[in-house]
Amino acid sequence: MKIYFAPADVPLVRRIQTAAVLQWVFSFLALAPLCIILFLLLLFTRFWLISVLYAVWWYIDWDTPSQGGRKVPFLCQMRVWEYMRDYFPIKLVKTAELDPRKNYVLGFHPHGILVAGAFTSFCTEATGFSKLFPGMRTNLLMLPLWFRAPFFRDYIMAAGLVPSDKESASYLLRQKGGGNAVVIAVGGAPEALDAHPGDYTVHLANKKGFIKLAIEHGADLVPIYSFGENEVFDQVENPRGTWLRYIQERLQHIMGVSLPLFHARGVFQYTFGLMPYRKPINTVVGRPIPVEKNEKPTAEELDVFHQRYMDELSRLFDEHKGNYGIPEDAYLVFQ
């Protein structure tokens, strides 16, 4: 295998962009276990009091993630995220207005490997969400598992992440005055196993929990399709029925997280590594689907809104796919 190294005369700004993405990849892949190890190791050093005091704080602060978290605007507006945006680049595309007097459930598709489009667009101000949708506040849902990691939980809360459970989402949608948008990667961890370049599989056919959540709180549904999300990493082929896919699905069922075997490029060479490719991601926000509040929706009502949502997502994909190099004969596949 021939290794293609980065040229020595790469412009400084591109090196900074690479560094920005590197810290993000490191945060999502390694920071949580490192924080757990640090917390435990400190207990056996002269700095043991740090872990003890943090444990007390952790106990007092236990419910914060499920009560809106603790988003820090300064962190979301840091220049580092603009460098990360420009690395791919990532663009947030608006197709309709969002009324800041209402609350919304935003469905993000596809999950991809590391949801780069969702994080950059809804956890930072790099793509200008607040300017495109004034008066709106976003919180991206993340697996509850990660909020059990000491120190790491505070970092992800500062970016506006909250646990992906009903309690956390309901808390935000119950807030009076509107302007709250809960962003859900509907396909979740299982969809990451289908995140192959050129694949348009969306895990949605049996996903009705977020529909029920929206109806119970009278929050309008908004489909989002992130064109290019599946293109920034390659993944070892794992079609259904193979031993690899079986093992991945079993581990996902046991641990709650999927383990796609992904790869792309490195920091100083372009042949292999865990850095994403420099390929554009265009996150297109669709039209709101009006939802009337019903605290006890019927199965028929869930089916109606679920079909309406799938139709709107398909329309969004078909209407914009030509702008981003997707063949006319390509369509979404609902799994």
Side-chain angles (χ1 to χ4, degrees), residues 32 83 94 122 124 176 186 217 219 246 254 273:
Y83 286 115
K94 174 182 177 180
F122 306 115
T124 81
K176 304 298 182 182
V186 179
H217 295 280
Y246 173 78
I254 295 170

Side-chain angles (χ1 to χ4, degrees), residues 266-297:
V267 177
F268 301 110
Q269 45 76 31
Y270 303 143
T271 307
F272 61 89
L274 299 180
M275 286 287 291
Y277 294 121
R278 285 180 177 265
K279 293 186 178 181
I281 296 175
N282 292 278
T283 303
V284 183
V285 181
R287 301 181 306 199
I289 301 170
V291 175
E292 291 293 329
K293 184 177 181 178
N294 181 0
E295 294 183 357
K296 295 183 178 180

Side-chain angles (χ1 to χ4, degrees), residues 158-330:
L161 290 151
V162 296
S164 55
D165 53 38
K166 185 175 181 179
E167 179 185 2
S168 303
S170 294
Y171 179 89
L172 292 164
L173 295 175
R174 284 197 303 267
Q175 302 308 302
K176 304 298 182 182
N180 293 297
V182 173
V183 186
I184 304 174
V186 179
E191 193 173 79
L193 298 178
D194 286 318
H196 296 273
D199 191 301
Y200 308 109
T201 300
V202 172
H203 288 222
L204 183 59
N206 299 308
K207 300 280 187 175
K208 298 182 182 178
F210 76 106
I211 302 289
K212 184 178 182 181
L213 177 73
I215 297 174
E216 288 176 342
H217 295 280
D220 289 358
L221 287 159
V222 181
I224 299 170
Y225 195 85
S226 191
F227 293 89
E229 192 73 42
N230 284 347
E231 308 299 318
V232 296
F233 288 103
D234 290 320
Q235 184 176 174
V236 174
E237 290 298 323
N238 59 342
R240 286 175 175 77
T242 61
W243 65 269
L244 175 59
R245 186 58 172 255
Y246 173 78
I247 293 173
Q248 289 175 320
E249 290 177 343
R250 288 299 300 167
L251 289 174
Q252 190 274 321
H253 180 74
I254 295 170
M255 302 187 302
V257 296
S258 62
L259 298 172
L261 300 180
F262 65 93
H263 58 93
R265 51 160 287 186
V267 177
F268 301 110
Q269 45 76 31
Y270 303 143
T271 307
F272 61 89
L274 299 180
M275 286 287 291
Y277 294 121
R278 285 180 177 265
K279 293 186 178 181
I281 296 175
N282 292 278
T283 303
V284 183
V285 181
R287 301 181 306 199
I289 301 170
V291 175
E292 291 293 329
K293 184 177 181 178
N294 181 0
E295 294 183 357
K296 295 183 178 180
T298 63
E300 292 76 11
E301 191 175 6
L302 286 175
D303 289 340
V304 168
F305 277 98
H306 184 252
Q307 186 61 52
R308 194 175 298 173
Y309 182 90
M310 288 199 298
D311 291 343
E312 185 62 25
L313 180 62
S314 293
R315 185 202 64 78
L316 180 71
F317 178 83
D318 292 339
E319 185 176 308
H320 293 273
K321 63 185 179 183
N323 299 332
Y324 306 115
I326 296 177
E328 279 299 314
D329 60 351

